[in-house]
Amino acid sequence: MNNHITSIHVVIVGAGFAGINAAKKLGNAKGIHVTILDKKNYHLFQPLLYQVAMAGLSPAEIASPIRSILSKYKNIDIVLGKVTNISLSNQTVETDFKKYNYDYLILACGATHSYFGKNEWENFAPGMKTIEQATEIRRRVLTAFELAEQEIDQNKVKSYLTFVVVGGGPTGVEITGSLCEIAHFTLNKEFKNIDPKNTKIILIEAGNRILSAFSEKLSEQALKDLKNIGALVKINTRVNNITNEGVWIGEEFIPSKTVIWAAGVKPSETGKLLGTELDPVGRVYIEPNLNLKNHANVFVLGDQSHCKDKNNIPLPGLAPVAIQQGIHTAKNIIRVVNGKNILPYHYFDKGIMATIGRGRAISEYSGIKMTGKIAWLAWLFVHILYLIGFRNKFFVLCQWMWSYVTFGRGARLITNQDWKNKDS
Ligand SMILES: Cc1cc2nc3c(=O)[nH]c(=O)nc-3n(C[C@H](O)[C@H](O)[C@H](O)COP(=O)(O)OP(=O)(O)OC[C@H]3O[C@@H](n4cnc5c(N)ncnc54)[C@H](O)[C@@H]3O)c2cc1C
């Protein structure tokens, strides 16, 4: 800690992909002391959150304690705390407990889901950004089958066995594919009064195709794959209400006890604490060096920043963007501390991929398109590679191998019983 008094103090807010990678790069750097603050005590690998929601993985397999990730760096302090105030003029960051002075600030608080002003839908259609939300979705999905098994009224059975996923981006497609697998394979022979194969899984997308970030050809392939595994996909369809009983699309009502929201995200509210200009969705505008205009020592990274690529288009909210920005910013801070000039950031596009279900995925990199098993294996490899911690890599790989061979799902636990919701 004595180190701290004489060295440059970097405060990082958020230990997500951007923050944790910035911290690792600054770890043991000479003349630099780091304090990393997060409201959670763990780093979450969000790309596999849907597997927790779909009972394939347990929360601990996709999350690692921040302290253990950064334990080998003597110059890093880890603080559990929610940042509630930032003063650019005083160079301070505040949690409910304490105020921290900074020489450099890295703000990387990510995003949360957006209901486009219809926040009341959240109770009926949870989104998936946190472990709590993922386990709640898991509870609702597994409970729906249990209640259907006990129900005599066939209309109610139908609504328990109808699952609606709103939003045809990668998360919506991944959930839809998993629900099809659960209903048609995993639970297939486990119930006496219902046949899980009769489950209806509906994916609703407002645009004219699913997975719109991919080429048309790949998005058509994904649509075909989803139909082949039993999903019903409705494109050009806008949800206009969600209730306790189901979903309204125009004049049509779909009775469903389980609706999952995968339709929109909005950046963290912490961007507002800076008092600088935000884009229309609430992301903080930043300069090509990733710093705030007129504040060379304040960086805003990842999902909560508005950073343009070389074609002047805002970079997407993806893990590689956040990871690269975190590493780049840390390198720049080290450069400045060593009397060197700061370098502008350029995003290296590593492509995009989405999995549709067992043995099915799509991926696109620099015009190279892959589908089917090859894309699926590439998806598995990339996700294992980026997952933090050897223990997690090992257990996730074992779970996937076991699930592939047996069609089973290792985390079929109904927890969160006291969650405020329609079934409790
Ligand atoms: C379900 C899902 C699936 C995804 N799939 C993919 C995928 O397949 N591929 C891909 O590239 N990207 C995917 N993404 C997007 C990717 O996860 C994000 O782009 C990435 O996490 C952004 O990193 P970040 O560092 O900006 O924020 P995050 O990783 O979200 O981290 C933000 C951190 O800030 C902390 N925090 C927030 N507010 C405060 C506060 N006030 N005080 C203190 N701490 C705070 C949070 O606890 C969190 O740890 C997915 C996202 C989700 C939700």
Side-chain angles (χ1 to χ4, degrees), residues 93-361:
V93 165
E94 258 178 83
T95 67
D96 288 338
F97 297 105
K98 208 175 157 188
K99 198 181 261 189
Y100 298 84
N101 293 299
Y102 66 81
D103 297 304
Y104 287 88
L105 172 64
I106 296 177
L107 187 64
C109 290
T112 178
H113 43 262
S114 160
Y115 287 83
F116 309 116
K118 303 276 189 187
N119 292 346
E120 65 276 15
W121 292 355
E122 186 172 11
N123 268 343
F124 312 122
M128 205 177 50
K129 263 289 183 185
T130 63
I131 282 182
E132 290 79 3
Q133 288 159 346
T135 49
E136 172 58 12
I137 291 172
R138 180 179 74 182
R139 187 191 73 76
R140 291 186 187 206
V141 169
L142 297 176
T143 305
F145 286 102
E146 295 298 336
L147 294 178
E149 172 82 347
Q150 295 167 37
E151 186 58 63
I152 297 161
D153 179 337
Q154 286 309 302
N155 286 331
K156 284 190 179 168
V157 170
K158 261 190 199 160
S159 83
Y160 282 126
L161 294 186
T162 300
F163 296 86
V164 178
V165 181
V166 186
T171 301
V173 167
E174 285 165 353
I175 293 174
T176 306
S178 300
L179 283 171
C180 291
E181 276 176 28
I182 290 175
H184 300 149
F185 298 107
T186 313
L187 301 181
N188 186 15
K189 293 193 177 111
E190 296 196 2
F191 289 86
K192 302 268 182 306
N193 303 323
I194 56 163
D195 182 356
K197 277 192 176 157
N198 293 333
T199 303
K200 224 173 173 183
I201 294 132
I202 305 169
L203 174 64
I204 298 177
E205 165 58 40
N208 62 3
R209 62 188 178 97
I210 57 167
L211 298 173
S212 59
F214 291 79
S215 67
E216 270 186 48
K217 198 175 154 206
L218 287 185
S219 113
E220 264 169 39
Q221 180 61 47
L223 182 65
K224 228 193 253 169
D225 282 343
L226 280 179
K227 285 181 178 168
N228 282 342
I229 56 175
L232 182 68
V233 182
K234 289 175 179 279
I235 53 168
N236 293 315
T237 304
R238 203 167 278 279
V239 167
N240 42 24
N241 201 10
I242 305 176
T243 70
N244 199 11
E245 300 303 322
V247 176
W248 283 95
I249 44 174
E251 294 299 303
E252 188 191 345
F253 181 67
I254 305 173
S256 166
K257 285 286 185 187
T258 316
V259 184
I260 300 167
W261 185 259
V265 288
K266 63 175 183 195
S268 157
E269 297 275 308
T270 50
K272 291 182 184 163
L273 301 175
L274 297 169
T276 59
E277 198 187 351
L278 305 178
D279 76 2
V281 291
R283 288 174 300 188
V284 180
Y285 282 113
I286 50 170
E287 301 286 286
N289 295 337
L290 307 179
N291 63 294
L292 267 186
K293 197 174 181 176
N294 302 325
H295 294 273
N297 63 337
V298 178
F299 301 89
V300 186
L301 312 182
D303 282 5
Q304 75 168 144
S305 68
H306 178 121
C307 175
K308 292 195 168 67
D309 67 8
K310 53 183 188 272
N311 302 317
N312 222 22
I313 297 168
L315 290 173
L318 290 174
V321 174
I323 293 169
Q324 290 175 31
Q325 289 185 339
I327 294 170
H328 182 84
T329 300
K331 280 184 182 168
N332 263 342
I333 292 172
I334 294 170
R335 284 180 70 86
V336 176
V337 169
N338 290 310
K340 295 182 182 159
N341 60 325
I342 201 162
L343 297 174
Y345 167 75
H346 299 291
Y347 174 53
F348 174 65
D349 186 354
K350 293 187 169 172
I352 43 176
M353 44 179 46
T355 174
I356 295 133
R358 194 185 161 80
R360 298 166 201 259

Side-chain angles (χ1 to χ4, degrees), residues 13-19 37-40 42 44 46-47 49-50 81-84 108-111 128-129 171 174 268 270 301-304 317-320 322 353 379 383:
V13 185
F17 283 103
L37 298 125
D38 200 296
K39 60 184 179 181
K40 303 271 168 68
Y42 54 84
L44 177 63
Q46 292 173 18
L49 205 47
Y50 86 95
K82 182 175 177 177
V83 167
T84 50
C109 290
M128 205 177 50
K129 263 289 183 185
T171 301
E174 285 165 353
S268 157
T270 50
L301 312 182
D303 282 5
Q304 75 168 144
L318 290 174
M353 44 179 46
W379 183 93
H383 282 74

